[in-house]
Amino acid sequence: AQTVTQSQPEMSVQEAETVTLSCTYDTSESDYYLFWYKQPPSRQMILVIRQEAYKQQNATENRFSVNFQKAAKSFSLKISDSQLGDAAMYFCALRNPPMDSNYQLIWGAGTKLIIKP
Amino acid sequence: DAGITQSPRYKITETGRQVTLMCHQTWSHSYMFWYRQDLGHGLRLIYYSAAADITDKGEVPDGYVVSRSKTENFPLTLESATRSQTSVYFCASSVVDSYNSPLHFGNGTRLTVT
């Protein structure tokens, strides 16, 4: 069974500092997609970044980057120059190639990120 | 405005009542999904739909019914609400038939069953 584990229920970081959120997963597939979503207090889920397992280069989106370690099944999110607007719940998610038209995303339990001014 | 809209944003209902959560998207996305979010569980898929008149069960479908007579609407009905269905419900859509397509989410409905 596929699983996604976020071992840090809560993290805090000083504004302008760098923080890394951890995510590990388990899947028997060789090709899959990994996502980080952000959920601010407004409740809306917002895509932060995504990574295809076949791509060795780590994805980057402005201040957000990932450290994708396929052999270790690790997919951490690094946020540089943290801003107050980064405060949110962050969810890691795994999506396998479609089988029987099932496109289910497997979600971690989330990490609450607190930004200290 | 284009996007995905859920209504109501908050709902309180009593055990045993039927309640319907609405979801409307303006993108004409093929795929639509219903998730529930509970503390410590992340999101769990209730039902999804590949196109109008095509729906399928997700991880936790019991107690829920969906329909999709039009591409843009995907209502979720709790036939007889129970306290265990107190949760935040998210509707989402996806543009193409591809596992690398990100989901676009609505703002969620917080449902409380008393």
Side-chain angles (χ1 to χ4, degrees):
Chain A
Q2 293 98 28
T3 59
V4 175
T5 302
Q6 294 178 251
S7 59
Q8 306 152 320
E10 186 175 295
M11 292 281 287
S12 63
V13 63
Q14 205 73 34
E15 191 177 5
E17 299 286 304
T18 295
V19 64
T20 298
L21 308 184
S22 300
C23 173
T24 58
Y25 60 92
D26 190 21
T27 179
S28 58
E29 300 291 336
S30 59
D31 192 20
Y32 45 87
Y33 256 83
L34 292 160
F35 302 85
W36 278 100
Y37 279 86
K38 168 185 177 181
Q39 186 180 37
S42 67
R43 239 175 30 209
Q44 187 171 19
M45 299 288 282
I46 303 166
L47 177 66
V48 175
I49 200 166
R50 57 180 163 171
Q51 172 86 39
E52 184 175 11
Y54 266 120
K55 292 186 177 179
Q56 294 187 349
Q57 186 173 6
N58 288 325
T60 299
E61 291 285 345
N62 300 315
R63 297 182 295 106
F64 298 87
S65 62
V66 298
N67 183 6
F68 175 49
Q69 302 288 330
K70 190 172 184 179
K73 296 184 178 177
S74 171
F75 183 59
S76 60
L77 175 70
K78 186 172 83 171
I79 306 173
S80 303
D81 185 25
S82 299
Q83 300 175 1
L84 294 177
D86 295 333
M89 285 289 291
Y90 286 81
F91 292 92
C92 179
L94 163 71
R95 198 176 201 187
N96 284 329
M99 295 174 292
D100 298 324
S101 300
N102 185 349
Y103 293 91
Q104 181 170 198
L105 271 164
I106 310 299
W107 295 82
T111 295
K112 182 178 181 180
L113 179 62
I114 298 168
I115 310 294
K116 299 177 182 177
Chain B
D1 287 344
I4 186 164
T5 305
Q6 290 185 239
S7 61
R9 187 152 173 81
Y10 300 93
K11 177 72 177 178
I12 301 174
T13 192
E14 295 177 343
T15 300
R17 288 191 178 268
Q18 181 181 82
V19 60
T20 296
L21 309 184
M22 305 302 293
C23 179
H24 175 78
Q25 53 111 349
T26 59
W27 290 305
S28 298
H29 287 176
S30 296
Y31 276 77
M32 295 188 76
F33 307 82
W34 273 107
Y35 286 91
R36 61 177 288 173
Q37 183 180 28
D38 304 291
L39 197 63
H41 285 279
L43 275 76
R44 291 182 290 178
L45 182 65
I46 304 170
Y47 270 94
Y48 66 99
S49 169
D53 297 322
I54 300 175
T55 62
D56 210 342
K57 296 179 180 179
E59 180 185 358
V60 289
D62 293 343
Y64 303 96
V65 174
V66 294
S67 61
R68 195 162 176 211
S69 57
K70 294 183 179 181
T71 299
E72 61 267 29
N73 295 324
F74 191 40
L76 176 73
T77 297
L78 287 67
E79 294 184 298
S80 178
T82 65
R83 289 198 179 95
S84 65
Q85 293 177 309
T86 293
S87 186
V88 178
Y89 291 85
F90 285 96
C91 180
S93 68
S94 179
V95 61
V96 294
D97 184 10
S98 173
Y99 73 107
N100 65 350
S101 297
L103 299 184
H104 301 269
F105 285 85
N107 284 340
T109 295
R110 181 178 294 277
L111 175 68
T112 302
V113 182
T114 62

